[in-house]
Amino acid sequence: MKFQEKLDKLNQTMSKVQTNKYLQALSGGMMSLLPIMVIGSISALLSQLNIAPYQAFIMSTGIHAALTKIFTVTMNFMALYVVFLIGHKLAESFDEDGLLAGMISIMAFMIITPLTTFDKSTALEITYLGSRGLFVGMMSALIATRIYVFVIQKNITIKMPNTVPPVVSKTFTALIPAIFVAIVFGIMNGLFALTSYGNAHAALFAILQVPLQSMGSNIFTVVILVALMEVLWFFGIHGSNVVNPILLTVFYSMDVANLEAFQAGATVLPYIITVSFIQNQKGPRNLALAIILSFNTKSQHLKKVGRLGLVPAFFGISEPLKFGLPMILNPILAIPMILTPVASVLLSYVAIVVGFLPQPNGVSVPSGTPELLRPLFTSGVRGVIFGLFLLVVCMVIYWPFVRAFDKQKLREEAALEA
């Protein structure tokens, strides 16, 4: 009973974390960015294929310049898209107009983004519109949207007659909240200008983002986060939904920085540990489990669940296995469920350090990409070979535990038949 009470409390706590409006807005906004990331990633890959005749062709035909332009307006303007999407998602969670909130969030971000003078012309620094501006962009969207929602919900707005078209009425409704946001961010910009950093981007990058990235670049931090995902799954909590906001906040800019360096032709990329590293190098553990269940168990229940989950597992979908076996609150499978991603991440890190695997290039791989093909986009052919190695490692880890679980299930099935 005490264990059940503790389990209930843990579930309640994690449920609150999982349903937190701000974390959901961060996670949802970043996930909505996937089309932009994929387009930018593909353009980087196509422009950097190291094949001499191909490079000569795309250079002479102008394709390289077109691909570079696509990369620039997607990856190098990443912060702008993030600001709008997070503002949009957060406002919608409060049942307010997401489009207006997204627009106001962009205004707030622009106010605290420094301008530069070049040849008597004023321009925005593209440096702060890409990966360097992601952290400030996320914070700007959260703060600006919260101010917008607060003012709207306090009815500090301009009320228009019912005869005025809704589009016009909504615009006037957002006017006063937008003024509040502009005042707050104008003051913030002025205060940051008085510091030695000169602007919010430089200050927050030095004070917050650099220490966070230093902590995140530690492999042991990653191991803890990866293990936490599976521990939460053991208790029936969607671990990825809880941990992903942390991963995206800390590691996402590292992916973008790597992709920018890769697109520029750099041989050594800035980071080893990125979001794509964590997501792709956790190993094809669910596929390994599905294969063992399908072809190396005697229990009819396990065999059927394994074959049912084989195709989904091939595409990285684990729910049929997690709920069909079940793996939730299953003490026999808990150990390999936690060990396989941890071992995969550690082995992948070592493989990169010793030079067998290249550093992740920051390319975003869409959800649903076959497990053994995911590394091809981020690490090339060696990544696929290493993925097969990780598949074997995961199968070896799961083997004794599945065998013990199979014997238990056989006894249960025999008892039912008797």
Side-chain angles (χ1 to χ4, degrees):
M1 185 64 181
K2 289 183 178 179
F3 173 77
Q4 187 60 44
E5 289 176 357
K6 291 179 180 178
L7 180 59
D8 291 340
K9 287 182 180 179
L10 178 63
N11 277 319
Q12 290 172 6
T13 302
M14 291 304 169
S15 179
K16 288 179 181 178
V17 172
Q18 192 171 335
T19 57
N20 180 275
K21 292 180 185 293
Y22 304 99
L23 291 179
Q24 282 189 331
L26 282 172
S27 182
M30 300 294 269
M31 288 177 183
S32 298
L33 194 66
L34 183 62
I36 303 295
M37 284 292 292
V38 170
I39 292 170
S41 300
I42 291 172
S43 65
L45 281 174
L46 292 177
S47 66
Q48 292 301 313
L49 282 176
N50 194 19
I51 303 171
Y54 170 79
Q55 284 293 327
F57 171 74
I58 64 174
M59 287 287 186
S60 62
T61 56
I63 294 175
H64 188 275
L67 291 172
T68 302
K69 177 67 178 294
I70 293 171
F71 177 86
T72 300
V73 301
T74 52
M75 306 307 296
N76 288 344
F77 287 81
M78 184 69 59
L80 282 178
Y81 302 119
V82 166
V83 169
F84 178 83
L85 290 167
I86 291 175
H88 185 280
K89 294 287 184 183
L90 184 58
E92 283 190 339
S93 71
F94 285 99
D95 297 322
E96 299 296 342
D97 193 302
L99 292 175
L100 289 171
M103 181 183 67
I104 291 171
S105 296
I106 290 178
M107 177 195 70
F109 176 67
M110 291 298 193
I111 289 173
I112 60 171
T113 297
L115 299 173
T116 185
T117 302
F118 178 75
D119 195 20
K120 297 182 180 180
S121 299
T122 302
L124 272 169
E125 288 192 43
I126 197 171
T127 305
Y128 297 121
L129 302 182
S131 62
R132 185 74 181 267
L134 272 177
F135 195 85
V136 173
M138 290 187 289
M139 296 303 105
S140 298
L142 293 177
I143 296 169
T145 303
R146 195 64 190 87
I147 293 172
Y148 165 78
V149 170
F150 176 81
V151 176
I152 289 283
Q153 293 182 344
K154 292 297 181 181
N155 290 320
I156 309 174
T157 59
I158 297 174
K159 303 294 183 182
M160 301 298 291
N162 294 331
T163 54
V164 175
V167 175
V168 178
S169 179
K170 281 185 178 181
T171 303
F172 276 93
T173 300
L175 180 59
I176 292 179
I179 292 172
F180 271 90
V181 172
I183 291 171
V184 170
F185 277 80
I187 293 171
M188 288 170 58
N189 184 61
L191 292 175
F192 277 113
L194 296 175
T195 67
S196 59
Y197 299 106
N199 62 75
H201 290 267
L204 291 180
F205 189 81
I207 296 169
L208 295 176
Q209 190 163 351
V210 170
L212 277 175
Q213 290 183 342
S214 298
M215 178 191 73
S217 61
N218 185 320
I219 185 61
F220 297 106
T221 303
V222 175
V223 166
I224 292 170
L225 290 173
V226 169
L228 178 61
M229 286 187 191
E230 305 304 325
V231 170
L232 293 174
W233 263 118
F234 173 77
F235 290 104
I237 302 163
H238 200 300
S240 299
N241 285 353
V242 175
V243 178
N244 270 346
I246 301 171
L247 296 181
L248 292 169
T249 302
V250 178
F251 299 101
Y252 199 75
S253 60
M254 301 181 189
D255 260 311
V256 179
N258 273 13
L259 188 57
E260 289 172 347
F262 174 74
Q263 198 274 339
T267 54
V268 179
L269 304 181
Y271 301 103
I272 292 178
I273 298 172
T274 64
V275 170
S276 62
F277 169 83
I278 297 169
Q279 291 177 340
N280 295 329
Q281 302 308 136
K282 286 190 293 183
R285 58 212 186 280
N286 297 306
L287 179 58
L289 176 59
I291 291 172
I292 295 174
L293 291 171
S294 300
F295 304 106
N296 291 282
T297 54
K298 296 179 181 179
S299 164
Q300 291 301 308
H301 172 74
L302 298 188
K303 192 180 293 290
K304 287 179 180 178
V305 171
R307 291 177 179 175
L308 180 66
L310 188 59
V311 173
F314 183 74
F315 291 95
I317 299 169
S318 64
E319 280 77 1
L321 296 176
K322 282 191 165 71
F323 294 99
L325 289 173
M327 299 172 74
I328 296 167
L329 292 178
N330 187 327
I332 298 176
L333 296 181
I335 295 174
M337 185 168 70
I338 297 168
L339 277 182
T340 46
V342 167
S344 297
V345 164
L346 284 172
L347 289 170
S348 299
Y349 184 81
V350 172
I352 293 173
V353 170
V354 301
F356 177 79
L357 280 181
Q359 291 171 256
N361 56 19
V363 169
S364 289
V365 183
S367 177
T369 301
E371 285 283 349
L372 297 177
L373 289 182
R374 294 178 71 88
L376 179 65
F377 299 99
T378 56
S379 305
V381 176
R382 286 191 179 187
V384 176
I385 295 170
F386 197 76
L388 291 170
F389 167 69
L390 291 181
L391 176 65
V392 174
V393 170
C394 292
M395 289 177 70
V396 170
I397 293 174
Y398 261 113
W399 178 268
F401 297 95
V402 172
R403 189 176 179 183
F405 192 40
D406 188 33
K407 289 180 179 178
Q408 177 184 311
K409 282 293 182 180
L410 281 173
R411 289 194 296 269
E412 291 176 3
E413 289 172 8
L416 285 173
E417 288 178 6

